[in-house]
Amino acid sequence: RSTWPMRESVEVKRTHFEKALTGLSNRMRYSTKENGGGGHGTLMDRHTAEFVDPFTLKLTPEGSSDGSNGVRYVQAKNFIVASGSRPRELPKYPVDGKHIITSDHITDLTTFPKSILILGAGVIGCEFATIFSNFGRSTVHLVNERRPRLLGHEDEDVSRFIQNQFVRAGVHVHNNVVVLDMKVDAVSIFVCV
């Protein structure tokens, strides 16, 4: 087993991802309408976005004091707004940032846990199950509480395919269970399902 710290492992993956994203961004930038392409674009800097009408988006750079510096307008027939997500905290199991964490705390980990239980088998839970199983340093348990299959909003075929991939990767998938209790001590968490 490697003693390579988690932060360094995440940084290697992040660097790889950023290089791939830069390449994709350059290809997308080339394909914008100004460059004779099909009209796809990407927003690389922080902006405030505001719809002026159903077909026009006003982009104001973050920190622009008067709102006129660097303002751009983007027109399109259709827009996809992918604004991210926020973790949901459960009052019965308070997040401490050490033993019970959310996706906001993942990059703060300095070592890989021996085992990790991921509560929730939606998109974010499946993403983290994939990440931890790919590193191969943690036993991963994916708990799909009160649901018969993971990714419940997707087609059954997709759900079944993803679950089979998880099983092949060594992820322990627990469908249709209920977390009855969780106890935290100085070094461990005990979960009763």
Side-chain angles (χ1 to χ4, degrees):
R1 249 187 192 195
S2 172
T3 58
W4 201 22
M6 180 169 182
R7 186 176 301 271
E8 290 176 32
S9 296
V10 169
E11 198 57 40
V12 167
K13 291 276 189 185
R14 181 179 292 139
T15 301
H16 175 74
F17 176 74
E18 286 173 354
K19 285 180 183 176
L21 183 62
T22 299
L24 177 63
S25 172
N26 289 337
R27 287 191 302 278
M28 287 179 73
R29 197 172 288 124
Y30 178 75
S31 74
T32 58
K33 281 194 176 175
E34 304 88 73
N35 295 323
H40 299 282
T42 184
L43 191 59
M44 296 303 289
D45 300 317
R46 292 185 175 268
H47 289 73
T48 300
E50 173 186 354
F51 280 101
V52 177
D53 61 44
F55 306 103
T56 308
L57 188 66
K58 177 183 177 183
L59 301 172
T60 306
E62 200 171 82
S64 177
S65 57
D66 63 359
S68 63
N69 247 357
V71 171
R72 295 185 344 209
Y73 292 88
V74 177
Q75 291 187 319
K77 181 179 174 185
N78 299 298
F79 288 90
I80 297 175
V81 179
S83 60
S85 65
R86 291 190 184 100
R88 181 172 55 114
E89 294 187 26
L90 304 173
K92 190 174 177 183
Y93 310 114
V95 173
D96 62 9
K98 184 178 178 183
H99 293 98
I100 300 177
I101 63 175
T102 67
S103 55
D104 291 343
H105 302 100
I106 292 289
T107 57
D108 295 335
L109 294 174
T110 56
T111 60
F112 287 91
K114 183 177 178 181
S115 64
I116 185 166
L117 182 139
I118 300 168
L119 184 57
V123 173
I124 304 299
C126 287
E127 284 177 342
F128 283 106
T130 301
I131 291 167
F132 279 95
S133 68
N134 282 346
F135 279 119
R137 294 189 176 100
S138 305
T139 301
V140 179
H141 293 270
L142 182 59
V143 174
N144 191 16
E145 197 171 31
R146 295 185 174 102
R147 308 247 162 121
R149 60 185 179 89
L150 49 84
L151 295 170
H153 298 293
E154 299 298 330
D155 290 340
E156 287 185 38
D157 291 347
V158 171
S159 177
R160 189 172 29 259
F161 176 80
I162 298 294
Q163 180 160 335
N164 289 339
Q165 295 302 309
F166 279 151
V167 170
R168 285 189 190 115
V171 174
H172 304 275
V173 179
H174 307 276
N175 286 321
N176 217 17
V177 297
V178 177
V179 175
L180 299 173
D181 197 18
M182 194 180 304
K183 302 254 190 264
V184 179
D185 68 20
V187 293
S188 301
I189 298 177
F190 300 95
V191 179
C192 178
V193 291

